[in-house]
Amino acid sequence: MVGSGIKKFAKENELRIASGVAYGSLYGYASTLSEGSGYKSLTIATRFPDPALERRLKAELDERNIEREFRVQSVSFNVKSIEIIFRDAAGTMKRICNFIDWFYPLLKEAGATKYRVCAECGQVMERGAWKLINNVAYPMHKDCAARLRSDLIEEHESERASAKGSYLTGFIGAVIGAAIGSALWAGVYYMGYMASVVGLIIGVLAERGYNLFKGKKGGLKVAILILLVIAGVAVGTLAGEWLTLYQMMKDGEIIGYTTGELLPLLFDHIEADEEIFNGILKNIGMGILFAALGVFALIKKTSKEAKPTKVKDLKD
């Protein structure tokens, strides 16, 4: 995703915008800019032929307070790229521009490869193409990109074939996690609140339980998590209503019932009174909506796990 600040920067520096990123040659280096909730990122597709010069560059970063001066939250040196994450706030684009003015000359001193070098094989390209991988644009030979795409699919299939565990054990673990989250939802609901963060907690706990019980990665995992988030909200809402009845019984507002009889009483009220039924149904629907806002990113991440990493073509 790119906002107005990155779009303006891209136009000023002749970068392209596609698939939610701004990319191209920035001062001769293959660069990608994007942003998300509370952050902006700059990724430079490059290599360092001389490890000593790379270490010196890292030392220069450590010597300067880049967090205070440029709002840099983290810098990650990978095999094929450098990823810089900036804390997003008013004026961050100006800080990013200042960082680029300072850092890119250091890349040149460190011998970092420029955009005319294939990110896959490390050789100079006479003709190549831009490929998007995990939201980062890389310049590559077309043959290298085709080979990488094939390797990624083969690697994904190999990982799936060798992965231990099953959907059944994962489902059991996810149920336990969702039940814990549902209890938290019930408590919050009883106090008169609904929040997407609690829905997110249900999803996180369900996924954590799924993984702890060695659940199998795949498309069915996504369906299991969606199902259990919905079930967790529904059960938590009914449990919150039960807590209300329990408190009324303790306060003497309900007489002649035991704790064990409160759940049948709740269902009797739901069945007999259409207004109560519609009210609870509306609360469950609102709860699922709130939960969806919280778990959207989690479900998206889980969905990506079920598929091989994509190599997407970009305009040159």
Side-chain angles (χ1 to χ4, degrees):
M1 183 180 73
V2 291
S4 58
I6 291 180
K7 287 179 180 177
K8 181 182 177 184
F9 179 86
K11 185 176 181 180
E12 292 172 349
N13 291 276
E14 298 182 347
L15 302 179
R16 292 182 178 272
I17 295 176
S19 299
V21 302
Y23 70 95
S25 171
L26 184 61
Y27 299 116
Y29 293 95
S31 305
T32 307
L33 289 103
S34 63
E35 60 188 293
S37 179
Y39 75 91
K40 284 182 169 63
S41 71
L42 166 65
T43 305
I44 306 160
T46 188
R47 294 170 178 261
F48 293 91
D50 188 337
L53 292 178
E54 181 182 4
R55 287 194 295 272
R56 191 173 76 180
L57 174 61
K58 291 178 180 178
E60 291 187 69
L61 282 167
D62 292 337
E63 289 170 2
R64 193 154 180 169
N65 191 341
I66 57 176
E67 195 285 326
R68 180 180 59 80
E69 191 171 351
F70 304 115
R71 294 182 183 164
V72 172
Q73 289 184 317
S74 65
V75 179
S76 303
F77 282 75
N78 306 306
V79 175
K80 300 176 185 177
S81 64
I82 307 170
E83 182 184 42
I84 305 103
I85 302 296
F86 300 85
R87 177 174 55 85
D88 199 7
T92 292
M93 278 309 305
K94 184 177 180 180
R95 303 289 186 101
I96 292 175
C97 291
N98 291 340
F99 177 83
I100 289 170
D101 290 341
W102 170 71
F103 186 66
Y104 275 53
L106 298 181
L107 289 175
K108 184 177 180 180
E109 293 176 13
T113 56
K114 295 194 173 184
Y115 84 103
R116 285 297 181 187
V117 173
C118 175
E120 184 63 16
C121 70
Q123 300 300 311
V124 175
M125 299 188 306
E126 290 186 8
R127 296 186 65 183
W130 288 94
K131 305 295 178 181
L132 188 70
I133 306 171
N134 291 330
N135 275 353
V136 179
Y138 294 92
M140 290 186 187
H141 292 113
K142 291 185 178 180
D143 290 345
C144 289
R147 187 165 54 251
L148 175 61
R149 183 182 283 112
S150 177
D151 289 346
L152 288 171
I153 293 173
E154 184 178 334
E155 180 183 347
H156 177 75
E157 293 301 323
S158 177
E159 287 179 355
R160 288 189 63 181
S162 61
K164 296 181 179 179
S166 70
Y167 287 124
L168 177 60
T169 58
F171 177 78
I172 293 171
V175 167
I176 294 172
I180 297 171
S182 183
L184 178 60
W185 181 277
V188 173
Y189 179 86
Y190 169 71
M191 292 185 289
Y193 300 99
M194 281 190 289
S196 60
V197 67
V198 185
L200 174 60
I201 290 171
I202 295 176
V204 168
L205 291 175
E207 189 196 31
R208 186 68 57 85
Y210 188 96
N211 293 336
L212 286 174
F213 278 65
K214 309 297 182 184
K216 185 177 180 180
K217 291 183 179 179
L220 191 54
K221 177 183 177 181
V222 178
I224 288 172
L225 293 181
I226 292 173
L227 173 66
L228 289 177
V229 168
I230 293 172
V233 170
V235 172
T237 301
L238 291 174
E241 295 286 349
W242 181 90
L243 286 172
T244 301
L245 291 179
Y246 178 74
Q247 187 61 49
M248 291 172 68
M249 185 184 72
K250 285 185 65 177
D251 294 342
E253 296 178 45
I254 296 177
I255 302 173
Y257 289 91
T258 65
T259 301
E261 294 172 326
L262 290 180
L263 187 58
L265 176 63
L266 173 61
F267 285 116
D268 285 343
H269 280 307
I270 293 173
E271 186 177 355
D273 193 323
E274 186 177 351
E275 186 176 345
I276 293 176
F277 173 78
N278 290 336
I280 291 177
L281 197 63
K282 179 182 177 182
N283 288 338
I284 290 175
M286 288 295 296
I288 290 172
L289 176 61
F290 273 91
L293 296 174
V295 301
F296 175 77
L298 174 65
I299 296 299
K300 187 176 180 182
K301 177 182 77 70
T302 303
S303 180
K304 285 183 178 180
E305 288 179 355
K307 302 174 184 177
T309 302
K310 289 184 178 181
V311 180
K312 187 173 182 179
D313 297 330
L314 293 174
K315 291 182 180 180
D316 299 332

